């Protein structure tokens, strides 16, 4: 059963790479952790398999870990060369075979043989099939595969496919269990066993957040099952399976907001594939059920294309009362304007927008640099340096100042040692759950305390993964120039807008920042500049940031670059 809520848990540290069996230590860390702290989400059969695994001798456990961490479930025994096992691979495979962890007589589709065997091994063994298909014996592996696969769709044992080839193929059993364990440990199937190795190699550092009994990705087995079903549905779509067949297996809605957001993304992707394939009825159904932030605009555009203008008008009007995000608000304005003209309705009232300051540069570019780089080089002077920062600087300052709030160990935010940020970062109640913490962080902007906090965090947390801080670019020199030139009031206004919608507002910042440390007006000691090259135009999320800055007295402009005709 899970721990009592007031108990803190401890995950053992990553293994020492000097230990040749480091991977086995990491593997068993996950297995033992889930077995101990998530046993209420496991069936008796799954617990029995785990206990059986942990009683195997070390060579067998190590070989099993190696296979689980590799791609696929099929392996040639003679290719499994792991001297650190301390015993012949054949002994370890026999142990795993007797314990039911591998199958030594699997039936393979022909496609798997092309993956496991070389062309030199396949040609003589498949000679009769190659001749019967009318192919030259010297045909390439790709040609052989493309031609023979449709002619031989049924799986068969290796010895029937490749008579005379001395090779044993084994198949790993119970891979679904290991996927389930990995999912319950990481809370996703994106992360893998290699996350341990990255830490061991020093290539990645993570904030060490205290974990408690509530630090679990899942509290119900049904939620684990739903996640796995949706993951496999997405894999099937990615592999080219028809949206119509995948649609049948997508779970119905439930009350878990996190899983519903994943379901919304799955439905959105299925809808796009159905639309591309011409099944507009299925596409509209998927968009309608999806809560993905872009699904409603996609639905409206498809309705427009199908000339279902009255239905589109009704949906668009209802959506204006509660737009899902800023880009949808602008998109709805455009759609309603087009529909009003077609339906003879009154044109929607356009919101007033501030005037943006713009200027044009005509530049040489003999070295083929980007427009941003060329503009930065041209505008930069010794007393007014320019940095190419885009979304990195303001996000980085925010991440440094608000580090305590972002990494507060609230229930459901962190549940293993490899998080780059809180799991609930983009959930609707993220800020609300930490409101007092964010208020405390932003409260330091009322004095120079914020500079000390940002500098201290930059020093103390250097290199630790954060969803907002890009360490290689946020140098100490850039940091100090920003703290010198950007007024605290401007930072607070931008940070509060960020907190209004972290997913959407973390992008769209201007490309460049020009510092004027000696300017008499403290509000004019810097300027953010969005750069656009020939034929490029402002995107909606960029325009919204620029207009926000103008409305709040934050100096911004747009630079249009033209290349000289040489």
């Amino acid at each position: 059963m899970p721990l009592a809520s007031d108990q803190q848990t401890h995950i053992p540290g990553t293994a020492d790479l000097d230990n040749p069996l480091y991977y086995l230590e990491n593997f068993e860390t996950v297995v033992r952790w889930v077995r101990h702290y998530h046993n209420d989400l496991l069936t008796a059969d799954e617990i029995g398999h785990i206990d059986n695994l942990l009683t195997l001798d070390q060579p067998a456990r190590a070989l099993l870990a190696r296979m689980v961490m590799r791609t696929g479930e099929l392996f040639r025994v003679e290719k499994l060369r792991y001297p650190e096992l301390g015993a012949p691979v054949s002994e370890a495979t026999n142990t795993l075979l007797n314990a039911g962890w591998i199958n030594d007589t699997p039936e393979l589709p022909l496609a798997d043989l092309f993956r496991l065997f070389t062309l030199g091994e396949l040609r003589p063994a498949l000679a009769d099939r190659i001749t019967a298909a009318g192919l030259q014996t010297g045909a390439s592996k790709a040609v052989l595969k493309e031609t023979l696969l449709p002619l031989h769709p049924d799986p068969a044992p290796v010895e029937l496919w490749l008579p005379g080839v001395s090779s044993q193929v084994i198949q790993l059993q119970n891979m679904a269990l290991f996927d389930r364990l990995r999912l319950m440990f990481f809370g996703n199937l994106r992360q893998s066993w290699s996350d341990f190795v990255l830490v061991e190699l020093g290539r990645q550092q993570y904030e060490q957040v205290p974990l408690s009994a509530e630090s679990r990705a899942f509290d119900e087995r049904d939620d684990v099952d739903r996640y796995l079903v949706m993951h496999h549905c997405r894999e099937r779509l990615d592999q080219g399976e028809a949206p119509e067949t995948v649609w049948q297996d997508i779970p119905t809605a439930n009350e878990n907001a996190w899983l519903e957001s994943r379901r919304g993304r799955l439905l959105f992707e299925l809808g796009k594939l159905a639309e591309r394939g011409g099944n507009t009825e299925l596409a509209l159904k998927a968009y309608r059920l999806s809560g993905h932030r872009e699904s409603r605009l996609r639905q409206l555009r498809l309705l427009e294309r199908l000339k279902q203008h009255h239905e589109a008008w009704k949906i668009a009007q209802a959506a204006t009362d509660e737009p899902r995000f800023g880009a949808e608000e602008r998109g709805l304005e455009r759609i309603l304007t087009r529909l009003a003209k077609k339906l003879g309705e009154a044109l929607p009232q356009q919101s007033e927008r501030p005037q943006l300051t713009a200027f044009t540069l005509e530049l040489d570019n003999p070295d083929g640099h980007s427009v941003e780089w060329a503009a930065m080089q041209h505008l930069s002077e010794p007393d007014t340096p320019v940095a190419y920062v885009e979304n990195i600087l303001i996000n980085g300052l925010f991440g440094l100042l608000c580090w305590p709030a972002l990494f507060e160990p609230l229930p459901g935010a962190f549940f293993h040692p490899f998080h780059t940020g809180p799991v609930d970062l983009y959930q609707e109640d993220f800020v609300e759950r930490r409101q007092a913490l964010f208020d405390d962080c932003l409260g330091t902007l009322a004095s120079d305390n914020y500079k000390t906090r940002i500098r201290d965090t930059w020093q103390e947390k250097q290199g630790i993964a954060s969803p907002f801080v890009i360490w290689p670019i946020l140098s100490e020199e850039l940091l100090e120039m920003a703290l010198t030139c950007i007024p605290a009031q401007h930072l607070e206004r931008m940070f509060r807008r960020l907190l209004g919608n972290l997913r959407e507002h973390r992008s769209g910042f201007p490309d460049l920042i020009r510092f004027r440390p000696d300017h008499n007006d403290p509000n004019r000691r810097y300027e953010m500049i969005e750069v656009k090259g020939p034929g490029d135009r402002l995107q909606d999320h960029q325009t919204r940031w620029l207009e926000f800055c103008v409305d709040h007295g934050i100096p911004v402009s747009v630079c249009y670059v033209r290349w000289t005709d040489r």
Side-chain angles (χ1 to χ4, degrees):
M1 296 298 291
L3 295 176
S5 61
D6 60 345
Q7 287 182 273
Q8 283 202 344
T9 63
H10 172 68
I11 293 181
T14 55
D16 183 355
L17 285 180
D18 291 334
N19 176 5
L21 292 173
Y22 70 92
Y23 59 89
L24 178 59
E25 287 188 39
N26 293 336
F27 176 71
E28 292 186 349
T29 290
V30 172
V31 173
R32 293 179 188 278
W33 175 263
V34 176
R35 168 67 177 88
H36 188 74
Y37 296 118
H38 299 69
N39 66 315
D40 58 317
L41 305 184
L42 297 168
T43 66
D45 185 57
E46 289 165 345
I47 291 173
H49 276 93
I50 293 171
D51 291 345
N52 170 273
L53 183 161
L54 295 173
T55 60
L56 297 174
D57 59 46
Q58 187 179 80
R61 299 199 317 274
L63 179 59
L64 182 61
R66 280 289 195 186
M67 291 191 291
V68 168
M69 294 177 182
R70 287 177 57 172
T71 302
E73 300 177 10
L74 294 166
F75 306 94
R76 294 176 62 175
V77 173
E78 67 271 18
K79 300 290 186 181
L80 298 173
R81 303 187 184 99
Y82 300 116
E84 77 277 2
L85 298 184
V89 166
S90 58
E91 290 184 12
T93 55
N94 285 335
T95 301
L96 294 175
L97 178 64
N98 293 331
W101 288 104
I102 61 172
N103 173 14
D104 64 346
T105 57
E107 293 194 347
L108 281 64
L110 185 55
D112 283 325
L113 265 71
F114 277 91
R115 182 176 59 83
L116 292 169
F117 292 87
T118 67
L119 181 58
E121 293 170 314
L122 292 169
R123 272 179 177 161
L126 298 175
D128 292 343
R129 291 181 170 90
I130 294 171
T131 302
L135 295 172
Q136 297 294 323
T137 56
S140 69
K141 194 173 185 180
V143 170
L144 292 179
K145 182 178 178 181
E146 182 181 359
T147 305
L148 295 179
L149 256 57
L151 300 176
H152 304 282
D154 298 326
V158 175
E159 57 267 23
L160 292 183
W161 283 120
L162 308 177
V165 174
S166 178
S167 177
Q168 182 186 11
V169 175
I170 58 176
Q171 183 174 32
L172 180 62
Q173 305 288 80
N174 298 305
M175 192 60 200
L177 171 61
F178 294 112
D179 285 340
R180 182 178 289 270
L181 296 178
R182 181 162 59 93
L183 172 59
M184 285 192 283
F185 183 81
F186 287 110
N188 62 72
L189 289 172
R190 181 186 67 260
Q191 288 178 282
S192 67
W193 316 101
S194 62
D195 284 67
F196 285 92
V197 181
L198 291 175
V199 174
E200 290 152 5
L201 292 173
R203 294 179 183 172
Q204 185 63 282
Q205 301 176 59
Y206 299 92
E207 179 76 339
Q208 294 304 295
V209 178
L211 301 176
S212 70
E214 296 172 313
S215 305
R216 304 203 308 176
F218 302 96
D219 288 318
E220 301 288 340
R221 181 178 174 87
D222 181 62
D223 289 343
V224 182
D225 293 338
R226 291 174 65 83
Y227 187 107
L228 288 167
V229 169
M230 290 190 290
H231 177 77
H232 294 315
C233 285
R234 182 57 190 266
E235 284 186 324
R236 290 161 60 191
L237 288 175
D238 292 341
Q239 292 164 5
E241 188 172 337
E244 291 78 7
T245 58
V246 176
W247 167 262
Q248 306 300 323
D249 296 325
I250 294 180
T252 56
N254 80 338
E255 296 179 356
N256 186 309
W258 174 56
L259 287 175
E260 272 305 287
S261 69
R262 294 191 64 85
R263 179 174 174 271
R265 288 198 297 273
L266 175 60
L267 287 167
F268 181 65
E269 292 303 321
L270 184 143
K272 289 196 295 183
L273 290 170
E275 184 177 350
R276 288 176 202 147
N279 190 341
T280 56
E281 181 180 355
L282 177 58
L284 287 172
K285 191 181 297 184
Y287 293 149
R288 196 173 297 118
L289 292 175
S290 171
H292 189 276
R293 61 202 206 105
E294 297 178 32
S295 61
R296 194 157 52 187
L297 283 180
R298 191 95 186 194
Q299 176 191 7
L300 289 169
R301 290 176 186 134
L302 179 54
L303 287 171
E304 274 193 284
R305 186 159 61 84
L306 296 174
K307 302 189 184 306
Q308 298 181 26
H309 299 145
H310 287 285
E311 183 178 356
W313 175 263
K314 181 180 178 181
I315 294 171
Q317 278 199 312
T320 56
D321 294 333
E322 195 174 347
R324 290 176 179 168
F325 63 115
E328 186 183 63
E329 186 175 357
R330 297 287 171 89
L332 288 171
E333 285 182 7
R334 297 188 187 104
I335 288 170
L336 284 169
T337 298
R338 294 195 300 267
L339 290 173
K341 293 176 181 177
K342 292 171 183 174
L343 297 173
E345 300 282 353
L347 291 174
Q349 186 174 358
Q350 299 292 323
S351 56
E352 279 193 37
R353 293 173 188 159
Q355 185 69 34
L356 301 179
T357 300
F359 64 97
T360 300
L361 294 178
E362 189 166 318
L363 303 176
D364 291 334
N365 191 27
D367 298 322
H369 291 302
S370 68
V371 289
E372 296 88 356
W373 183 266
M376 179 190 73
Q377 293 289 90
H378 177 81
L379 294 171
S380 191
E381 299 289 346
D383 57 343
T384 57
V386 179
Y388 183 8
V389 295
E390 203 170 9
N391 300 312
I392 293 170
L393 179 58
I394 302 303
N395 279 326
L397 294 172
F398 169 80
L400 292 172
L401 182 66
C402 297
W403 195 284
L406 293 169
F407 288 96
E408 176 71 11
L410 297 181
F414 301 93
F415 35 83
H416 62 74
F418 306 109
H419 285 293
T420 58
V423 173
D424 61 337
L425 182 63
Y426 298 128
Q427 292 184 13
E428 290 184 3
D429 63 347
F430 174 78
V431 176
E432 181 182 345
R433 294 178 68 200
R434 300 160 175 83
Q435 191 64 63
L437 293 165
F438 280 117
D439 287 344
D440 176 70
C441 293
L442 298 188
T444 63
L445 291 162
S447 67
D448 274 354
N449 290 343
Y450 78 95
K451 295 183 180 180
T452 301
R453 178 176 290 197
I454 287 174
R455 290 187 180 110
D456 288 348
T457 306
W458 190 90
Q459 291 288 347
E460 294 169 11
K461 304 298 183 181
Q462 185 68 220
I464 294 176
S466 162
F468 293 97
V469 184
I470 309 298
W471 295 105
I473 299 177
L474 190 59
S475 66
E476 188 169 14
E477 180 183 9
L478 175 60
L479 182 73
E480 288 301 327
M481 186 63 75
L483 292 178
T484 298
C485 295
I486 305 177
Q489 300 94 323
H490 293 184
L491 290 176
E492 181 174 5
R493 290 164 188 163
M494 289 187 279
F495 292 169
R496 291 200 180 279
R497 183 171 192 264
L498 261 175
L499 288 171
N501 189 329
L502 286 167
R503 182 193 295 275
E504 182 182 347
H505 295 164
R506 64 180 301 160
S507 64
F509 287 98
D511 300 303
L512 309 180
I513 184 166
R514 175 161 52 184
F515 296 110
R516 300 189 181 99
D518 297 328
H519 200 286
N520 293 329
D521 184 350
N523 291 324
R524 294 289 166 181
R525 286 180 181 157
Y526 76 106
E527 176 190 15
M528 295 192 290
I529 304 170
E530 176 63 32
V531 181
K532 290 297 173 188
D536 198 3
R537 65 179 181 83
L538 291 171
Q539 302 299 307
D540 281 347
H541 67 304
Q542 296 170 333
T543 300
R544 288 193 300 278
W545 259 116
L546 292 167
E547 292 177 349
F548 173 86
C549 290
V550 172
D551 282 339
H552 292 83
I554 297 170
V556 291
S557 61
V558 182
C559 169
Y560 292 97
V561 173
R562 297 176 183 170
W563 302 124
T564 55
D565 185 11
R566 302 187 62 180

